[in-house]
């Protein structure tokens, strides 16, 4: 009999995760909306998905608390609950506070998405942040078998580094998008690559952008520092 896995949330990343994991698991999905499913994936009620031995939360960071409260009555000791949020401190804290004490909790952040993994996930990286229970090594072995590079770190260190990279990058990308800059044929390779990367993240939802900026405790300070630095650079140009 196949191992069973529940996926909560069938948005862009939930669909990607379910499609990858259906090779090794019997995947049952819960989503508030009725959506077309990939072959081999079943849509089930929340209570049924919540009873699976492993449960993958593919929901926005800002929705984690509400989802955990919905799941809590249906969970039993020994289950494993993993989130996939791009911020780790808040989701892990909420999962450990709300979910029953005997439920294993593990934070994950796949450092790829539907666009960057178009050609497959092999060689991409995924972060694991210890939560509660002893399932981390087992999960890490499985992910490595999929061809992923596994990084284990604390939730605080993860969020600090992501504020410097993902959050700032998305902040710049959103600014460029609002300026409606379009590259023409006259462009050097560096800007062409950067604008292509900016274009890729425009497919991400506005909710993801807001969450990675507002739910990461390190992001606001770095955004303000970037803005102050750019203003200083502009003023220095005027003085030259």
């Amino acid at each position: 009999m196949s191992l069973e896995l529940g996926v909560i949330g069938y948005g862009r990343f939930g669909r990607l995760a379910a499609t990858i994991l259906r090779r090794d698991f019997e995947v049952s999905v819960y989503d508030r909306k009725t959506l077309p499913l990939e072959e081999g994936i079943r849509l089930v009620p929340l209570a049924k998905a919540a009873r699976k031995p492993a449960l993958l939360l593919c929901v926005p960071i800002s929705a984690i608390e509400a989802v955990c409260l919905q799941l809590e009555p249906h969970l039993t000791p020994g289950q494993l609950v993993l989130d996939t949020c791009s911020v780790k401190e808040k989701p892990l804290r909420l999962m450990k506070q709300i979910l029953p004490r005997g439920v294993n909790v593990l934070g994950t952040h796949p450092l790829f998405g539907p666009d960057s993994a178009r050609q497959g996930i092999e060689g991409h990286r995924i972060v694991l942040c210890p939560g509660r229970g002893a399932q981390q090594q087992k999960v890490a072995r499985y992910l490595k078998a999929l061809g992923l590079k596994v990084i284990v770190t604390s939730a605080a260190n993860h969020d600090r580094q992501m504020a410097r990279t993902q959050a700032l990058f998305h902040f710049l990308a959103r600014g460029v998008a609002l300026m409606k800059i379009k590259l023409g044929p006259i462009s050097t390779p560096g800007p062409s690559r950067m604008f292509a990367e900016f274009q890729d993240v425009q497919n991400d939802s506005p909710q993801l952008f807001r969450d990675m900026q507002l739910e990461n405790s390190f992001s606001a300070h770095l955004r303000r520092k970037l803005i102050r630095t750019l203003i200083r650079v502009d003023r220095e140009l005027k003085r030259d």
Side-chain angles (χ1 to χ4, degrees):
M1 180 179 290
S2 299
L3 297 172
E4 293 184 287
L5 171 77
V7 175
I8 307 299
Y10 199 62
R12 295 187 75 231
F13 190 81
R15 182 180 295 270
L16 173 66
T19 302
I20 294 167
L21 296 170
R22 66 181 174 178
R23 294 177 293 182
D24 300 308
F25 295 88
E26 183 180 304
V27 178
S28 298
V29 167
Y30 168 77
D31 195 280
R32 290 179 301 174
K33 301 176 182 177
T34 301
L35 300 167
L37 301 175
E38 299 291 332
E39 183 180 352
I41 298 170
R42 298 183 301 169
L43 187 67
V44 300
L46 176 69
K48 187 168 184 179
R51 290 194 290 269
K52 303 303 179 184
L55 200 57
L56 188 66
L57 310 185
C58 299
V59 300
I61 304 158
S62 52
I64 281 286
E65 183 171 10
V67 168
C68 286
L69 289 169
Q70 288 180 294
L71 292 171
E72 188 270 336
H74 307 291
L75 301 179
T76 56
Q79 287 180 273
L80 171 63
V81 179
L82 312 95
D83 80 301
T84 57
C85 296
S86 56
V87 171
K88 294 270 63 79
E89 281 192 301
K90 180 178 179 179
L92 273 175
R93 182 178 69 251
L94 290 170
M95 288 194 292
K96 289 192 287 186
Q97 286 175 354
I98 298 170
L99 303 184
R101 189 174 298 275
V103 170
N104 298 290
V105 170
L106 181 62
T108 83
H109 180 196
L111 302 180
F112 57 89
D115 295 314
S116 55
R118 289 190 195 102
Q119 306 303 318
I121 63 170
E122 187 171 354
H124 284 288
R125 293 169 293 164
I126 184 168
V127 178
L128 300 184
C129 295
R132 183 172 66 206
Q135 299 290 321
Q136 178 185 307
Q137 291 185 351
K138 185 176 181 180
V139 172
R141 286 195 298 271
Y142 174 72
L143 295 172
K144 289 176 182 178
L146 290 179
L148 291 170
K149 297 177 181 178
V150 176
I151 301 168
V152 179
T153 190
S154 69
N157 184 52
H158 168 277
D159 286 1
R160 187 181 298 108
Q161 293 198 44
M162 292 310 295
R164 297 170 183 165
T165 53
Q166 185 188 39
L168 278 188
F169 182 82
H170 280 249
F171 187 64
L172 290 168
R174 184 57 54 97
V176 168
L178 291 173
M179 292 174 68
K180 301 186 185 302
I181 297 173
K182 302 292 184 182
L183 282 192
I186 303 176
S187 175
T188 53
S192 296
R193 288 193 298 269
M194 182 180 70
F195 273 75
E197 295 290 338
F198 281 170
Q199 186 63 44
D200 270 354
V201 302
Q202 295 308 314
N203 292 325
D204 293 334
S205 70
Q207 184 68 60
L208 174 61
F209 173 73
R210 286 182 58 82
D211 284 352
M212 72 174 63
Q213 301 299 332
L214 301 179
E215 303 289 357
N216 186 329
S217 62
F218 299 96
S219 291
H221 167 72
L222 285 169
R223 286 198 312 274
R224 291 192 293 267
K225 184 174 181 181
L226 172 64
I227 292 168
R228 290 195 303 268
T229 302
L230 291 174
I231 291 171
R232 187 176 74 243
V233 170
D234 183 61
R235 287 173 178 167
E236 288 173 353
L237 286 172
K238 294 174 183 177
R239 288 199 298 267
D240 288 347

